[in-house]
């Protein structure tokens, strides 16, 4: 009897030990998906419709439900911030989205945010967020090049990878990322390089940050420029952004477009100039008139890669111009809009272009 009693007591003690073990909290990361529309939420008439479909049709909960694998890798919840094709993106949506990203990331139980978005302006929204998000937690902007109804739609796998990335501790402090097609690109350098193909997003000369493979991110580089929590820009109290327009450079251009933008209230002009941000002789009087009116003029380039060198194709010191460094015109416009919320001083603005 004694032996049996001892064995019973021993087994009870062992069971008790197990029972006393705290049940491990669910180790899955908490990821919030903020939906804005785009092809990833798009539907077409047939399963082979990959152009001529309608973007921004599926709601965020429908998208989440269409990828049941998400629940295995993260605790996911969704919010519909907008429902638009991203060619129709506005400053108002940007400010609403950015404020919501900061509110959600400030919640202790949230590990990362995914933003579903159209691909046409995904690089602009990502760069805007790169400058105004006040957290080191992962922020991943994701889209798709085929609608949800198409054969081999890329949206589900892109959304799955984006949630994995947003929930990964390795993605902390990398700045805002754009993740499609198994690649992780930095917001500052990523751009759409093909109107239609699934591999369209590239950082042409700077390269990807890394890849999504085997359910986790693999990083190989980081951006050298300030972003997110290290940024000086604060949109929390802003309800609008200064008007900044882009003037496209080409042979035989004239000043009509630039003058019209300034007449419409532009506080800044970014020229997407030919070559190294060159200024046509017939444009320089327009640049000088702009400066006399206090309008900031930034020399950028339509080329897409390389440095626009200060005092290279124009005497920037003498004409009091700013150069965009390696930012494309569409991203230089975003940095200038935010810069103008803080200063009109061209030396301060130039510092910002060398910082972000
Ligand atoms: N019109 C495109 C957009 O919403 C569709 C897409 O590619 O997402 O940006």
């Amino acid at each position: 009897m004694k032996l049996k009693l001892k064995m019973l007591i021993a087994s009870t003690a062992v069971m008790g030990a197990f029972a006393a073990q705290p049940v491990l909290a669910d180790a899955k990361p908490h990821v919030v998906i903020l939906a804005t529309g785009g092809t990833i939420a798009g539907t077409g008439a047939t399963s082979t419709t990959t152009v001529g479909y309608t973007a921004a049709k599926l709601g965020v909960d429908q998208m989440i439900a269409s990828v049941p694998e998400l629940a295995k890798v993260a605790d996911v919840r969704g919010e519909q911030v907008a429902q638009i094709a991203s060619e129709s993106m506005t400053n108002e949506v940007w400010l609403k989205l950015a404020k919501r990203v900061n509110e959600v990331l400030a919640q202790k139980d949230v590990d990362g945010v995914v933003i579903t978005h159209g691909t046409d302006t995904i690089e602009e929204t990502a760069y805007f967020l790169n400058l105004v998000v006040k957290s080191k937690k992962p922020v991943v902007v994701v889209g798709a090049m085929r609608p949800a109804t198409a054969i081999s739609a890329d949206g589900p796998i892109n959304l799955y990878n984006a949630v994995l990335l947003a929930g990964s501790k390795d993605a902390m402090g990398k700045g805002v990322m754009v993740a499609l097609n198994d690649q992780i690109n930095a917001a500052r350098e990523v751009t759409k390089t093909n109107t239609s193909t699934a591999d369209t997003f590239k950082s042409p000369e700077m390269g990807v940050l890394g890849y999504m493979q085997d359910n986790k991110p693999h990083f190989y580089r980081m951006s050298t420029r300030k972003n997110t929590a290290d940024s000086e820009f604060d949109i929390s109290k802003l309800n609008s952004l200064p008007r900044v327009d882009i003037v496209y450079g080409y042979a035989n251009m004239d000043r009509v477009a630039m003058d019209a933008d300034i007449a419409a209230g532009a506080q800044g002009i970014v020229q997407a100039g030919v070559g190294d941000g060159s200024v046509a002789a017939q444009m320089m009087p327009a640049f000088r008139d702009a400066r006399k009116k206090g309008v900031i003029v930034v020399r950028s380039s339509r080329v897409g890669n390389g440095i626009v060198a200060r005092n290279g194709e124009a005497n920037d010191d003498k004409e009091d111009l700013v150069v965009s460094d390696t930012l494309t015109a569409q991203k230089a416009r975003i940095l200038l809009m935010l810069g103008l919320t803080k200063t009109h001083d061209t030396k301060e603005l130039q510092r910002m272009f060398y910082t972000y």
Side-chain angles (χ1 to χ4, degrees), residues 38-39 53 85-87 118-120 144:
T39 293
Y53 55 82
S86 76
E87 61 269 28
T119 58
D120 288 355

Side-chain angles (χ1 to χ4, degrees), residues 68-338:
E69 293 82 358
L70 292 177
K72 296 192 187 105
V73 296
D75 278 341
V76 170
R77 66 177 174 82
E79 296 180 16
Q80 197 78 41
V81 173
Q83 184 67 303
I84 58 173
S86 76
E87 61 269 28
S88 305
M89 186 52 70
T90 65
N91 291 348
E92 290 68 31
V93 173
W94 273 355
L95 288 169
K96 179 183 177 188
L97 176 64
K99 288 171 183 174
R100 190 60 189 145
V101 169
N102 281 327
E103 284 166 2
V104 166
L105 289 179
Q107 294 165 17
K108 289 218 178 333
D109 67 336
V110 173
D111 296 295
V113 161
V114 167
I115 293 144
T116 57
H117 194 288
T119 58
D120 288 355
T121 59
I122 198 170
E123 63 198 76
E124 295 179 57
T125 298
Y127 187 56
F128 175 71
L129 294 172
N130 203 45
L131 296 172
V132 301
V133 164
K134 293 300 172 194
S135 171
K136 292 278 188 191
K137 293 178 183 177
V139 175
V140 183
V141 196
V142 64
M145 292 304 289
R146 299 186 191 113
T149 45
I151 302 170
S152 305
D154 54 332
I157 186 65
N158 286 349
L159 182 59
Y160 177 72
N161 277 334
V163 168
L164 282 168
L165 181 58
S168 166
K169 291 202 176 354
D170 291 347
M172 298 278 287
K174 295 289 194 302
V176 173
M177 296 162 279
V178 174
L180 284 86
N181 196 42
D182 300 336
Q183 295 180 333
I184 306 168
N185 278 289
R188 185 181 186 278
E189 286 88 20
V190 70
T191 190
K192 195 173 198 181
T193 63
N194 183 291
T195 59
S196 328
T197 55
D199 67 344
T200 181
F201 285 103
K202 303 207 187 314
S203 298
E205 293 189 350
M206 308 294 189
V208 297
L209 292 179
Y211 302 101
M212 288 305 295
Q213 192 175 83
D214 189 21
N215 292 306
K216 55 182 180 294
H218 302 258
F219 286 104
Y220 298 88
R221 74 173 186 86
M222 285 181 74
S223 181
T224 59
R225 292 297 174 95
K226 275 191 178 181
N227 59 65
T228 58
D230 298 327
S231 160
E232 66 196 87
F233 304 110
D234 177 5
I235 48 90
S236 60
K237 295 186 178 50
L238 291 182
N239 295 311
S240 64
L241 291 167
R243 179 181 177 130
V244 174
D245 288 302
I246 299 173
V247 171
Y248 201 77
Y250 50 88
N252 197 39
M253 72 185 289
D254 67 21
R255 59 182 291 171
V256 168
M258 185 165 174
D259 288 346
D261 288 333
I262 293 171
Q267 296 180 40
I269 295 287
V270 174
Q271 181 190 252
V274 297
D276 182 12
S278 307
V279 180
Q282 66 269 26
M283 286 302 291
M284 194 44 84
F287 277 40
R288 288 174 182 142
D289 289 347
R291 291 302 300 124
K292 281 185 197 125
K293 291 175 183 162
V295 174
I296 301 297
V297 179
V298 174
R299 292 197 301 113
S300 184
S301 173
R302 72 180 196 183
V303 166
N305 292 290
I307 296 172
V308 174
R310 191 168 177 80
N311 298 319
E313 289 294 338
N315 188 335
D316 298 305
D317 292 348
K318 174 169 171 284
E319 304 294 347
D320 197 21
L321 307 176
V322 176
V323 292
S324 67
D325 192 23
T326 57
L327 281 181
T328 56
Q330 56 268 35
K331 293 183 183 178
R333 169 179 173 267
I334 294 164
L335 180 51
L336 182 53
M337 281 199 300
L338 289 168

